[in-house]
C-alpha cells in the first residue's frame, strides 16, 4: 500500500508541465538518436547531459529527460534494423533477422508497428517490475557496510565493464585508467592535491560531463573522419500497414520475452544486447514449429524488442537501489546524478522519494508517449536515415562543444574534452573498451571512500574486507567472472592458433 501511495505522489511530480515537456522532448530526441546508426543511447545521453545543466533543470527533471532519451533510443533502434538491415546499436542486431525480411516482403510498416507495440509492452512490464522490486531491494541494501560496498563497486567495474565478454587484460587496464582519472583533484581525506600538475582547474577534479562527451562523441567523430563513411544506404520504403493494429500484438511473446529481459536487465553487466538474443532464442524454441524464424516471422521481431526494452528498464533497478549501474548507459546517467549532488542508493528512497517515484511514474508516461509518437510518425523518423553522415557528425560535434561550454563557460573544459576525445580514439584503436573507463571514474571515488572507512574501522587490518559473508560472496563472484573470462580468452586464442595451423 505504501508503494501505491508513493507511486501516486510520483505521478503528481511526473505530470507537472515541465516534466511532461522534457519527457516528450526526450522521447522524440531519443527516437531520432536510436534511428541513426552509429550514435546509440550512450552517445546520445552523453551529448545531452550538458543540455540538462544549461537548462538548469531540477534533478528529477534532468533524470526524466535522460531516461526518456534512453527509452526512446531503444524504440528508435529498430527503424534502421528493419528498413536498412543496419542495427542502430548492438541490442537491435537481432531485430534484423526477421525485421528486414518482413520489410523486403512489403511488410515494413507492419514490422515497425509490431516492434513499437512490443517495445511498449516490454518497457511497461519493466516499469511495473521496477515499482515492485526497487523498494524491497533498497530496504535490503540499507544493511550494506563499507566492506560490502567496496566489494560491490569492484564487482561492478569488473562485470558491467565487460570483462566477462571482452579481453580481460584490456578491460582491466580500462578500469584502472578510469579509477586513476577519478583520483585527480583534492584528496578528500588529507586535502592534498593529487595529479593536478599545478593546474588550479583540476583541483576540483575532472568533470564527468567532459570525460563522457570526449570519450564517446568526439572519439566517434574522429573514427568517422578516419573511415570517411559513405552516404546512406538505400532503404526499403515504409509503405502502409496491411494488417489492423489489434492483429499486430503478440501478448504471449511480449510477456515471455519481457519477463526474461527484465530479469537479465536487473543483473549488473548483462545488458539489453544479451536480453534481445536470449528473448529471440526463447521465442524461437517455443514458437518456431514451421521453421519460419529468420524468414520474416513477426514473432521474431516482437521477442527481441520486448526483451531489450524490458532490460533497459531493469538496468535502472541496481542504479537506483544500490548506486551501481546495470549497463553502460545507466553508468552515464549515474555520473550525471552524482554531478547533481544526488547519490543513488538505498537512502535515496527515504531522503529524496520525489526523485525516485517521479522517475518511475515518468517511465509509465514516457512509454505511452513513445507508443503514440512511433506508430503515426514512423515515416518521419525513417526519413532521418537519409541524412548524410558528413552533415550529421559535424552537427553532433557542434552540439558537444556548445553543451560543454554552457556548463562552466570555461575554455579549459573544451581543451579537456578534445583531449579525452583523442584519448578515447586511441583506446578504440587499441581495442580497449570505453565503458570500464567511465565506470572507473564514477565508482572510483566511492570505492576509495568505502575502502578507507573499512580499513579505519578495523585499525588497518586488510583481512576485514573478507570477514563479511556478503562481501566475501561478492568477491567470489568477481573472481569467478575473471577466471571464466581468462579461460574463454585462452580457448579463443587456442582455437585461432589451431585454425592458423590447419590453414
Amino acid at each position: 500500500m505504501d508503494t501505491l501511495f508513493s507511486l501516486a505522489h510520483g505521478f503528481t511530480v511526473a505530470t507537472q508541465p515541465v516534466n511532461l515537456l522534457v519527457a516528450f522532448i526526450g522521447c522524440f530526441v531519443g527516437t531520432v538518436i536510436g534511428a541513426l546508426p552509429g550514435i546509440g543511447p550512450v552517445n546520445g545521453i552523453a551529448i545531452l547531459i550538458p543540455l540538462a545543466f544549461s537548462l538548469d533543470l531540477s534533478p528529477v527533471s534532468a533524470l526524466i529527460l535522460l531516461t526518456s532519451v534512453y527509452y526512446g533510443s531503444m524504440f528508435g533502434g529498430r527503424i534502421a534494423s528493419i528498413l536498412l538491415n543496419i542495427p542502430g546499436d548492438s541490442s537491435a542486431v537481432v531485430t534484423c533477422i526477421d525485421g528486414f525480411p518482413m520489410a523486403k516482403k512489403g511488410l515494413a510498416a507492419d514490422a515497425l508497428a509490431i516492434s513499437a507495440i512490443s517495445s511498449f509492452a516490454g518497457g511497461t512490464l519493466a516499469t511495473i517490475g521496477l515499482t515492485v522490486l526497487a523498494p524491497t531491494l533498497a530496504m535490503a541494501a540499507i544493511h550494506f557496510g563499507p566492506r560490502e560496498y567496496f566489494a560491490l563497486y569492484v564487482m561492478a567495474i569488473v562485470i558491467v565493464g565487460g570483462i566477462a565478454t571482452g579481453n580481460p587484460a584490456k578491460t582491466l587496464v580500462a578500469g584502472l585508467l578510469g579509477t586513476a582519472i577519478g583520483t585527480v583533484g583534492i584528496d578528500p581525506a588529507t586535502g592534498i592535491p593529487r595529479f593536478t600538475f599545478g593546474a588550479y582547474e583540476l583541483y576540483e577534479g575532472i568533470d564527468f560531463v567532459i570525460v563522457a562527451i570526449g570519450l564517446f562523441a568526439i572519439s566517434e567523430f574522429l573514427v568517422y573522419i578516419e573511415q570517411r563513411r559513405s552516404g546512406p544506404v538505400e532503404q526499403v520504403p515504409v509503405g502502409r500497414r496491411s494488417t489492423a493494429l489489434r492483429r499486430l500484438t503478440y501478448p504471449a511473446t511480449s510477456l515471455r520475452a519481457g519477463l526474461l529481459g527484465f530479469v537479465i536487465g536487473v543483473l549488473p553487466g548483462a545488458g539489453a544486447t544479451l536480453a534481445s538474443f536470449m528473448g529471440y532464442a526463447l521465442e524461437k524454441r517455443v514458437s518456431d514449429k514451421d521453421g519460419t524464424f529468420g524468414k520474416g516471422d513477426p514473432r521474431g521481431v516482437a521477442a527481441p524488442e520486448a526483451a531489450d526494452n524490458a532490460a533497459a528498464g531493469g538496468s535502472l533497478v541496481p542504479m537506483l537501489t544500490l548506486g551501481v549501474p546495470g549497463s553502460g548507459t545507466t553508468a552515464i546517467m549515474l555520473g550525471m546524478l552524482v554531478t547533481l549532488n544526488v547519490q543513488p542508493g538505498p537512502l535515496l528512497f527515504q531522503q529524496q522519494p520525489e526523485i525516485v517515484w517521479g522517475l518511475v511514474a515518468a517511465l509509465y508516461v514516457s512509454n505511452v508517449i513513445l507508443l503514440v509518437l512511433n506508430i503515426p510518425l514512423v515515416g518521419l523518423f525513417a526519413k532521418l536515415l537519409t541524412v548524410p553522415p558528413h552533415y550529421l557528425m559535424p552537427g553532433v560535434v557542434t552540439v558537444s562543444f556548445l553543451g560543454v561550454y554552457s556548463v562552466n563557460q570555461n575554455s579549459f573544459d573544451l581543451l579537456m574534452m578534445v583531449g579525452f576525445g583523442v584519448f578515447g580514439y586511441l583506446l578504440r584503436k587499441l581495442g580497449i573498451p570505453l565503458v570500464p573507463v567511465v565506470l572507473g571514474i564514477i565508482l572510483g571515488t566511492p570505492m576509495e571512500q568505502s575502502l578507507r572507512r573499512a580499513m579505519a574501522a578495523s585499525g588497518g587490518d586488510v583481512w576485514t574486507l573478507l570477514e563479511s559473508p556478503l562481501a566475501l560472496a561478492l568477491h567470489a563472484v568477481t573472481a569467478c567472472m575473471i577466471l571464466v573470462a581468462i579461460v574463454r580468452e585462452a580457448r579463443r586464442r587456442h582455437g585461432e592458433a589451431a585454425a592458423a595451423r590447419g590453414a
Side-chain angles (χ1 to χ4, degrees):
M1 189 62 67
D2 290 340
T3 299
L4 293 178
F5 280 122
S6 299
L7 184 60
H9 175 65
F11 271 104
T12 64
V13 175
T15 54
Q16 292 175 2
V18 64
N19 291 332
L20 287 175
L21 178 61
V22 297
F24 178 83
I25 293 173
C27 290
F28 184 86
V29 173
T31 304
V32 172
I33 289 171
L36 296 171
I39 297 181
V42 176
N43 288 334
I45 289 179
I47 293 169
L48 290 176
I49 283 178
L51 178 63
F53 287 105
S54 62
L55 294 177
D56 197 25
L57 295 176
S58 66
V60 65
S61 298
L63 191 56
I64 289 173
L65 173 65
L66 297 188
T67 50
S68 298
V69 171
Y70 186 19
Y71 268 36
S73 65
M74 301 303 291
F75 264 72
R78 76 199 193 281
I79 297 176
S81 300
I82 292 172
L83 298 182
L84 300 180
N85 203 29
I86 300 175
D89 56 29
S90 58
S91 66
V93 170
V94 190
T95 307
C96 297
I97 299 175
D98 282 281
F100 190 63
M102 283 188 69
K104 291 197 294 184
K105 292 178 182 179
L107 300 174
D110 287 5
L112 290 167
I114 290 169
S115 64
I117 295 169
S118 301
S119 296
F120 170 78
T124 302
L125 187 63
T127 308
I128 295 172
L130 175 63
T131 305
V132 175
L133 182 60
T136 303
L137 186 57
M139 290 298 295
I142 290 176
H143 301 290
F144 275 43
R147 295 174 298 186
E148 290 80 10
Y149 269 112
F150 175 75
L152 185 66
Y153 291 138
V154 173
M155 186 183 74
I157 292 176
V158 169
I159 298 179
V160 183
I163 201 168
T165 55
N167 185 304
K170 291 182 177 180
T171 303
L172 183 60
V173 168
L176 292 175
L177 284 172
T179 305
I181 294 170
T183 62
V184 174
I186 299 293
D187 187 330
T190 64
I192 298 174
R194 299 187 296 189
F195 309 112
T196 58
F197 304 103
Y200 293 108
E201 293 88 350
L202 296 178
Y203 271 35
E204 295 184 1
I206 299 176
D207 195 325
F208 167 78
V209 175
I210 298 171
V211 177
I213 294 181
L215 286 179
F216 291 101
I218 303 302
S219 68
E220 181 71 25
F221 178 68
L222 295 176
V223 170
Y224 163 74
I225 291 176
E226 179 188 30
Q227 296 178 350
R228 297 299 298 272
R229 297 172 185 168
S230 59
V233 181
E234 183 179 357
Q235 69 181 64
V236 177
V238 175
R240 295 182 178 273
R241 287 196 309 272
S242 60
T243 309
L245 275 178
R246 60 182 177 82
R247 296 182 58 190
L248 296 177
T249 59
Y250 292 87
T253 298
S254 298
L255 180 62
R256 281 191 294 265
L259 286 173
L260 178 62
F262 176 73
V263 173
I264 293 173
V266 171
L267 301 174
T273 302
L274 176 62
S276 62
F277 274 97
M278 292 191 66
Y280 183 86
L282 174 64
E283 189 61 27
K284 184 176 181 180
R285 179 178 294 273
V286 172
S287 305
D288 191 17
K289 308 299 183 184
D290 303 320
T292 56
F293 273 56
K295 302 175 183 177
D297 193 308
R299 294 165 296 182
V301 176
E305 288 300 314
D308 69 3
N309 279 270
S315 65
L316 295 173
V317 174
M319 185 194 80
L320 292 174
T321 57
L322 300 175
V324 173
S327 65
T329 307
T330 52
I332 303 293
M333 294 166 60
L334 176 63
M336 186 273 298
L337 282 178
V338 173
T339 305
L340 290 170
N341 295 319
V342 176
Q343 182 58 56
L347 296 180
L348 181 64
F349 284 73
Q350 297 179 3
Q351 297 174 349
Q352 296 174 294
E354 70 281 356
I355 292 180
V356 177
W357 293 109
L359 170 64
V360 172
L363 293 178
Y364 288 104
V365 174
S366 296
N367 268 308
V368 175
I369 292 174
L370 283 166
L371 184 65
V372 173
L373 273 178
N374 274 262
I375 291 181
L377 298 182
V378 70
L380 173 64
F381 292 128
K383 289 185 180 299
L384 295 172
L385 299 175
T386 62
V387 178
H390 57 268
Y391 293 134
L392 176 64
M393 294 308 296
V396 170
V397 173
T398 301
V399 172
S400 300
F401 271 82
L402 291 175
V404 167
Y405 187 77
S406 68
V407 175
N408 295 318
Q409 289 82 44
N410 187 348
S411 59
F412 183 81
D413 292 350
L414 299 179
L415 296 176
M416 289 287 293
M417 180 188 68
V418 174
F420 275 104
V422 174
F423 180 58
Y425 170 78
L426 294 176
L427 292 181
R428 288 189 179 198
K429 297 299 292 183
L430 295 173
I432 296 176
L434 300 181
V435 170
V437 179
V438 173
L439 284 172
I441 295 171
I442 296 170
L443 300 181
T445 298
M447 184 173 69
E448 178 187 5
Q449 292 172 349
S450 297
L451 176 61
R452 281 180 164 177
R453 289 169 185 161
M455 297 298 288
S458 66
D461 182 11
V462 70
W463 293 107
T464 189
L465 299 176
L466 301 177
E467 291 176 353
S468 164
L470 180 56
L472 185 61
L474 293 173
H475 284 306
V477 171
T478 304
C480 288
M481 295 303 295
I482 294 175
L483 181 61
V484 168
I486 292 174
V487 171
R488 181 163 46 242
E489 182 69 12
R491 288 181 177 176
R492 184 186 66 81
R493 293 188 178 185
H494 179 75
E496 291 178 351
R501 288 194 298 269

